[in-house]
Amino acid sequence: MKFTAFLKTRGATAAIFMGIFYAVAMLGIFLPGYTAIPGNVDKLPIAIINDDAGKNGAMIAKNLQENLPFKEIETDITNKQALKDLEHNDLALVVHIPKTFSENIQKGEASSSIDFTINEAGATVVSSTMNSVVTEINSQLSTQFSQQTAQGVLMNFNVPEKQAAELAEKIEKSYVGNVVTINEIPDGMNHNMLPMFLTMAGYVGAMIGAMQLVGAFRSSRGKASKTRLFAYVQMAALLIAVVSSIIAVGVAYLIDKPSGDLFFGIVGQQILNYMVCFNFTAILIFLFGEGGMILNLPILLMQTIANGATITRDMMHAPYEWMSHISPMYYSVQAYFANLFGSISPSPYIWSMAAVGAVAMLINMAIVAFLHKPMPVQVSETEVEKKAAEITA
């Protein structure tokens, strides 16, 4: 056989196709998706709450609204409601100017601070971006208020050394920015990425499992009714989901050491994650056979951006945002953030993920019922002999 003949074989042509297809799909999905960073940072919603009774608070709030690079800035909201929205990641940053801010500034007290609150239990780009923004704001405000205090001090040149030292400290501490972090994540990128990695472990395993089990379904046609075979597929997937989830969570505990109280909740979510992803990816395989696996790859790649682990929905380009609403990975990642690091219930995300899985299973049932033609069930020789023996007896 010549090399040119070998290249024409089914395996070689399939490998060539997949090499080109995967490269185009990966680069064509990832590169446009990540152009949202930092291009769409201005789409992140923040809140500025001014409770200050003096003039300084109003001045700062106005300057922040005019100069911060965010298009959606809420001001008509209470600090309590803003912090609640922040916990649900509906806001990226809460800036709170307290009631006594101007009064404390005039006195030169170190307590004259503005609260900047950031939620770490969410997309990594958001918390890192907000930290950078807050650092820049605090630097500018510190310089501004130190200069204002210094102007008042310099009106009196001939002061004793002790008083001069006190005034210098007063200038230095005229403003102190207070950065508050809620739902802190332990140091280490492994902790930040745990929700995404747990989700992807289940998704990829389920996608490969769907290909294998649907293949077993097709090859077993005629040995049992398609209804029974479909039930076998689901039962086998559930068995795999339980075993693989316990092992996956066990590995996560060995490395990241989450709270032991969360173990069974995480295992339960991982089992649900597997089953939902299994039925979600099985749709195309039930429809197109092995060809469905090729279509599943770009959908998987798209969800690695649309799952919200790196960027939020507010920053995503439209196709990725649309995908996030039907993506099992999005709801799984958000539920893990809430469960592992957050202070809110993961239930809304769990129920949304379950709804995606239920719809996917119904679609698969419809495909099997209406598109897969029924085949006569072949009776094995052993069953024939057994029935004959029963009749004879």
Side-chain angles (χ1 to χ4, degrees):
M1 175 186 282
K2 294 183 179 180
F3 180 63
T4 52
F6 177 79
L7 288 177
K8 294 178 182 179
T9 61
R10 182 179 179 183
T13 54
I16 294 169
F17 172 79
M18 287 304 297
I20 298 171
F21 176 80
Y22 191 77
V24 171
M26 187 169 184
L27 295 174
I29 291 171
F30 276 12
L31 294 182
Y34 281 114
T35 58
I37 308 171
N40 289 351
V41 167
D42 60 344
K43 293 183 178 180
L44 292 174
I46 70 168
I48 300 175
I49 301 98
N50 176 32
D51 290 332
D52 183 24
K55 295 181 180 179
N56 286 307
M59 177 191 68
I60 291 173
K62 182 181 178 181
N63 288 339
L64 289 177
Q65 289 181 62
E66 292 175 351
N67 297 318
L68 284 178
F70 302 109
K71 295 178 180 178
E72 187 177 342
I73 301 178
E74 292 191 41
T75 56
D76 189 18
I77 188 174
T78 64
N79 188 49
K80 183 178 180 180
Q81 182 60 47
L83 292 176
K84 184 177 179 180
D85 291 345
L86 181 68
E87 287 184 345
H88 288 81
N89 286 314
D90 294 329
L91 290 172
L93 172 68
V94 173
V95 182
H96 179 229
I97 306 172
K99 186 176 181 179
T100 59
F101 180 75
S102 290
E103 181 183 346
N104 293 336
I105 282 289
Q106 291 172 2
K107 295 178 181 178
E109 295 181 0
S111 58
S112 54
S113 63
I114 297 175
D115 295 329
F116 299 89
T117 309
I118 301 167
N119 184 9
E120 283 197 355
T124 54
V125 167
V126 174
S127 58
S128 61
T129 300
M130 291 304 117
N131 271 304
S132 299
V133 169
V134 169
T135 300
E136 181 62 26
I137 293 173
N138 278 329
S139 176
Q140 293 181 8
L141 289 176
S142 181
T143 301
Q144 176 183 344
F145 283 108
S146 293
Q147 288 174 349
Q148 288 181 6
T149 307
Q151 287 174 2
V153 172
L154 291 174
M155 293 175 66
N156 218 345
F157 288 98
N158 299 317
V159 293
E161 184 178 349
K162 182 179 180 180
Q163 189 177 352
E166 291 176 353
L167 290 173
E169 185 178 359
K170 182 179 179 181
I171 294 172
E172 183 180 353
K173 294 184 177 180
S174 61
Y175 169 79
V176 178
N178 183 32
V179 181
V180 181
T181 302
I182 63 173
N183 303 325
E184 290 190 40
I185 297 177
D187 292 334
M189 199 65 180
N190 55 307
H191 296 289
N192 291 79
M193 300 307 293
L194 180 58
M196 180 175 173
F197 288 160
L198 275 171
T199 297
M200 287 197 68
Y203 191 102
V204 175
M207 184 173 68
I208 296 172
M211 182 182 69
Q212 299 295 334
L213 289 178
V214 174
F217 169 89
R218 291 175 176 273
S219 63
S220 299
R221 295 294 305 278
K223 298 178 182 178
S225 67
K226 61 181 182 179
T227 302
R228 175 173 290 189
L229 288 174
F230 183 81
Y232 288 168
V233 166
Q234 297 295 328
M235 290 166 61
L238 180 59
L239 177 62
I240 297 168
V242 172
V243 175
S244 64
S245 296
I246 292 173
I247 294 172
V249 175
V251 172
Y253 266 78
L254 285 174
I255 299 170
D256 279 25
K257 300 177 176 63
S259 171
D261 297 339
L262 300 174
F263 181 81
F264 291 106
I266 297 174
V267 169
Q269 181 183 329
Q270 189 70 0
I271 293 171
L272 175 64
N273 175 45
Y274 186 98
M275 291 303 298
V276 171
C277 294
F278 174 84
N279 280 283
F280 184 81
T281 55
I283 293 173
L284 292 174
I285 302 175
F286 271 121
L287 280 173
F288 305 112
E290 292 182 1
M293 194 66 175
I294 298 174
L295 299 176
N296 270 325
L297 285 174
I299 295 174
L300 166 63
L301 296 175
M302 198 166 185
Q303 287 182 83
T304 58
I305 295 175
N307 63 35
T310 306
I311 59 178
T312 65
R313 273 179 177 167
D314 301 296
M315 295 178 64
M316 294 176 191
H317 296 305
Y320 303 89
E321 183 189 353
W322 297 336
M323 173 59 73
S324 73
H325 290 283
I326 62 169
S327 163
M329 286 182 68
Y330 176 84
Y331 298 114
S332 179
V333 167
Q334 302 311 310
Y336 274 132
F337 269 124
N339 201 8
L340 287 166
F341 310 115
S343 53
I344 60 173
S345 172
S347 297
Y349 302 113
I350 296 290
W351 284 111
S352 297
M353 181 166 56
V356 172
V359 171
M361 181 179 284
L362 289 174
I363 293 173
N364 286 327
M365 291 171 66
I367 293 171
V368 170
F370 299 109
L371 299 184
H372 288 245
K373 296 180 180 179
M375 294 179 63
V377 178
Q378 300 175 0
V379 181
S380 64
E381 293 182 5
T382 304
E383 290 178 344
V384 172
E385 291 173 0
K386 185 177 179 181
K387 288 183 178 179
E390 290 175 354
I391 294 172
T392 305

